[in-house]
Amino acid sequence: MLRIIDARTGEPAPAAPARRAPTRVEAHVRGRDADALRVLLVADLLMRALELDGTPAWAVLTGTAEADRLRKDAAALGIRPFEDGAATGHGPATGQGVRVVAEATAAGAAELVAEFGAEGEDEGGADRDEDGRDETTVAVAPVRPAALDLDSDLADPDAVRLALLERQHHARVELDATALDEARDTLARLRRAVADWARHPSRPVPVEVRDRLRAAWEDDLDAPGVLRLLRRVETDPDLADGARFEICAYADRFLGLHLTRDVGSPP
């Protein structure tokens, strides 16, 4: 079962207590910057992990007046579309949901809850909505610098996505030129390797590897842990190349890095 750290308690909690029941994932942001984009990325990872577990999820975006531009930025990063939460309401969800917010928003909500009790939702984003739905809250650490030029920095969106995934979402990310260069190099190496492995006879993903991958992303969306496993797969002498390809393709359903993009390209 997918478990995430609930910012309200600091303890692990099931993302979807009723497995395979429709689950609302709300990304709540204040503007259009790198911090907002990282909130949407974590919400996207949550959606992917829920769907890989067979739980239908419904994504909504709330809190920002720049939703259209932010959705465009998110699409460049391979983040799935988010509906307008204010316009669509709760949709088909059964009462369970997860709210993904910036760390500062979660901290402000927690202070109000501690002082006044969880009787409603504060302006900055608390954890109980107007209909009394009690939602687990995921806090996302900031990106530095937050004031990125998104129009130019998203020229290589997969590198930005990987640079953000290299750090657990509770940890601050330094999204500087060095981090982006390292991400580009890593992506180029992995895609070359995946394209080469695809030329070999296919082999199933070993059960042990599949279980370790799922254990990583079901443990508080541990994307860095998934990436570490892929680095071991690259050099594991006991794996057939066809299995390496299938492992990377399977892991990419969570990571969303287009690792199979170069399959079929000339060597």
Side-chain angles (χ1 to χ4, degrees):
M1 174 182 286
L2 171 61
R3 300 181 70 83
I4 52 180
I5 299 298
D6 189 339
R8 302 170 303 173
T9 64
E11 298 294 330
R19 187 168 178 255
R20 300 192 176 178
T23 302
R24 182 178 190 263
V25 176
E26 175 188 356
H28 184 85
V29 298
R30 289 301 189 89
R32 176 183 178 253
D33 58 13
D35 288 348
L37 204 55
R38 193 182 191 197
V39 168
L40 265 66
L41 175 59
V42 172
D44 180 64
L45 292 178
L46 178 58
M47 293 279 294
R48 290 169 180 266
L50 287 169
E51 290 171 359
L52 283 163
D53 192 42
T55 298
W58 178 58
V60 298
L61 174 62
T62 64
T64 179
E66 298 185 83
D68 289 341
R69 295 182 70 193
L70 190 57
R71 285 192 187 94
K72 183 178 178 181
D73 298 336
L77 245 65
I79 294 171
R80 301 178 185 190
F82 283 71
E83 297 184 44
D84 183 346
T88 56
H90 293 311
T94 59
Q96 65 184 16
V98 182
R99 170 174 265 204
V100 186
V101 301
E103 192 176 71
T105 300
E111 289 175 4
L112 286 175
V113 169
E115 184 173 355
F116 300 110
E119 296 180 356
E121 179 175 324
D122 76 283
E123 181 181 331
D127 34 53
R128 187 182 295 274
D129 66 21
E130 64 273 13
D131 293 335
R133 294 153 57 97
D134 191 24
E135 295 190 335
T136 299
T137 299
V138 178
V140 180
V143 179
R144 291 293 178 265
L148 293 174
D149 182 354
L150 295 179
D151 295 319
S152 62
D153 288 309
L154 292 184
D156 194 351
D158 286 343
V160 174
R161 185 177 178 110
L162 176 56
L164 292 172
L165 293 179
E166 288 280 11
R167 297 279 286 171
Q168 226 282 346
H169 63 271
H170 299 300
R172 177 178 296 187
V173 171
E174 297 291 336
L175 202 59
D176 54 19
T178 299
L180 291 174
D181 286 343
E182 290 176 353
R184 289 187 192 98
D185 291 344
T186 298
L187 272 176
R189 187 191 75 247
L190 273 174
R191 286 171 174 167
R192 282 195 303 269
V194 168
D196 179 62
W197 297 331
R199 299 184 183 96
H200 297 263
S202 179
R203 295 288 185 273
V205 177
V207 173
E208 179 186 356
V209 176
R210 182 183 293 269
D211 289 348
R212 290 169 68 188
L213 286 169
R214 291 186 68 92
W217 66 59
E218 289 182 353
D219 181 14
D220 200 27
L221 305 172
D222 185 10
V226 174
L227 291 167
R228 285 193 296 272
L229 282 168
L230 291 189
R231 292 185 178 102
R232 292 176 199 156
V233 163
E234 286 187 82
T235 57
D236 188 338
D238 296 327
L239 286 172
D241 286 342
R244 296 184 213 273
F245 169 77
E246 296 295 346
I247 291 167
C248 289
Y250 178 63
D252 205 35
R253 293 173 62 188
F254 172 71
L255 297 171
L257 292 170
H258 306 110
L259 296 180
T260 61
R261 188 192 69 178
D262 295 341
V263 170
S265 300

